[in-house]
Amino acid sequence: MTTQTPHTGRPLPAALALGFAGAGATCLLLRELLLAYCGNEAAMGAAMALLPLAIAVGAALPGRLWPDRDPADSLGPALGFLAIILPLSLLLPRLARPGAIVGGATALSPLAVSGAAIGAFVPSGLCLGLVWMLTGTVGCRQEGKNAARLPAALAGAAALGALFVQFVAIPKLTPLNASLDMGLACCVAGILCAAGSPGGRGPETWLSVMALGFVLLLPVSGLLETRLAAWQWQCPVSAVPAVPAAIGTVLGGGARAVATALTYLAVCIAAVAALAGRVTLPGLREDQSRDLAIGMAEAGAFLGLLLAYQGVAGNLFPHLPALAAAWLVGDALALYPSRDIRRGLVPNTPALCGAALGLALLSALLIL
């Protein structure tokens, strides 16, 4: 009697690709928005609040679009779609550039501010949420140590993605070339996932063709970047940024920025402590209230770290991925070994909404 090996979708390659490409692409997009907003970190933080909201919406798509489809069958194609979205998400914010400058000054129009934020984070966030939910759903089928290591693998790969941007993409590659490299990694992971799914033969074929296309595009990515130079943002980040008049006045740097960030972090910690003491918010259960507060604290603390570094060092742009990598290494250590596989592997909607709220509130302290 022949025993067939069950097809599980191989969530480990998907988690590694999701973390690596998701964190790397986010770091590239944040640097792109710093250029778009003339170095205004508060505006960048407000734009970043769209990312967790888009991830939460994307996480709901599998259940609505394919309620009867095996998630293992959808994982490979979703990674292929993510590979396509990565370079496009770098180009979409540049479409807002023609309407950016108001009256020949250095102030940005509201259309440019919102357009660059939506183009950067909404498509990529939707796709990241989709892949994240599929990876988590398939991963929850695993048993034993392999399942327990998946959340830490996701966070660890995210740290590697940020380090890739810091030490490889910035000194040696163009943003488009780096996004193609990450897209190629998603294609390879998608092939591995499709090979382990019940209906994977078709996705295996076109994902292989897509990977070949990415390889062929890599040598000409520099030429493409040159052709698209007219769409790039030309604001000098090394200079003291002009404040976008349409979105408010930024508080001063130095000790004031550090004090503001630390004050906000203290408020977030107090909120988490209060909610951990069985305080619930209207319309939410106790665990949902706690997840909301934890997401708010973590995202706000991360943005506070960026602002504090800006206040001390004076230039966030060159070292933003390294700061993100350090933060993600801490997440990986906290998640390994994970007692609950769903913690950090399956998107948590209240935590994502709390993250968006934390980013928006801290930015609001520095804007308006």
Side-chain angles (χ1 to χ4, degrees):
M1 180 176 180
T2 303
T3 302
Q4 294 184 348
T5 302
H7 296 286
T8 62
R10 297 179 181 171
L12 180 58
L16 294 175
L18 174 63
F20 180 81
T26 300
C27 290
L28 289 175
L29 289 171
L30 290 177
R31 285 167 53 84
E32 192 80 7
L33 287 182
L34 274 178
L35 291 178
Y37 298 152
C38 296
N40 190 334
E41 296 83 7
M44 179 200 70
M48 190 166 52
L50 288 176
L51 180 60
L53 292 178
I55 290 176
V57 175
L61 291 179
R64 293 183 177 275
L65 297 180
W66 312 291
D68 300 325
R69 184 180 174 90
D70 191 331
D73 287 337
S74 303
L75 191 53
L79 283 167
F81 186 64
L82 176 61
I84 297 174
I85 288 295
L86 292 177
L88 289 179
S89 63
L90 282 173
L91 302 179
L92 289 176
R94 301 179 186 180
L95 297 179
R97 187 177 183 273
I101 305 302
V102 179
T106 56
L108 298 175
S109 70
L111 178 62
V113 171
S114 58
I118 292 173
F121 288 131
V122 170
S124 59
L126 289 173
C127 196
L128 288 172
L130 171 66
V131 177
W132 192 356
M133 176 56 75
L134 291 173
T135 302
T137 303
V138 175
C140 288
R141 301 175 179 176
Q142 307 295 301
E143 296 180 357
K145 294 182 179 180
N146 291 334
R149 291 171 180 171
L150 283 174
L154 178 62
L160 290 177
L163 290 175
F164 168 77
V165 173
Q166 180 67 59
F167 296 107
V168 179
I170 293 177
K172 298 180 179 180
L173 304 176
T174 64
L176 182 59
N177 189 292
S179 66
L180 290 174
D181 287 334
M182 291 183 287
L184 181 59
C186 290
C187 289
V188 173
I191 293 171
L192 295 175
C193 293
S197 64
R201 187 167 300 274
E204 273 188 274
T205 302
W206 65 261
L207 281 169
S208 300
V209 174
M210 183 184 297
L212 178 61
F214 275 79
V215 171
L216 295 176
L217 282 175
L218 284 174
V220 298
S221 61
L223 178 62
L224 293 175
E225 192 80 35
T226 302
R227 294 288 185 181
L228 295 170
W231 296 94
Q232 291 180 354
W233 298 84
Q234 304 297 329
C235 186
V237 177
S238 59
V240 177
V243 178
I247 55 175
T249 303
V250 179
L251 295 176
R256 190 174 183 183
V258 176
T260 302
L262 292 178
T263 300
Y264 178 78
L265 178 59
V267 172
C268 289
I269 293 174
V272 172
L275 292 175
R278 301 183 181 276
V279 177
T280 59
L281 298 175
L284 296 178
R285 301 191 308 269
E286 176 186 335
D287 58 332
Q288 292 176 332
S289 298
R290 187 160 48 249
D291 290 339
L292 180 73
I294 291 174
M296 176 181 170
E298 185 167 1
F302 172 68
L303 183 57
L305 171 66
L306 300 184
L307 294 173
Y309 182 86
Q310 169 67 20
V312 173
N315 193 358
L316 175 65
F317 187 72
H319 305 116
L320 188 153
L323 294 171
W327 187 270
L328 290 167
V329 167
D331 275 351
L333 294 175
L335 290 171
Y336 182 82
S338 179
R339 296 180 181 177
D340 182 6
I341 185 177
R342 299 186 66 86
R343 186 169 70 98
L345 187 59
V346 176
N348 186 314
T349 300
L352 289 170
C353 293
L357 184 61
L359 293 169
L361 288 179
L362 179 53
S363 299
L365 291 178
L366 304 174
I367 298 175
L368 304 178

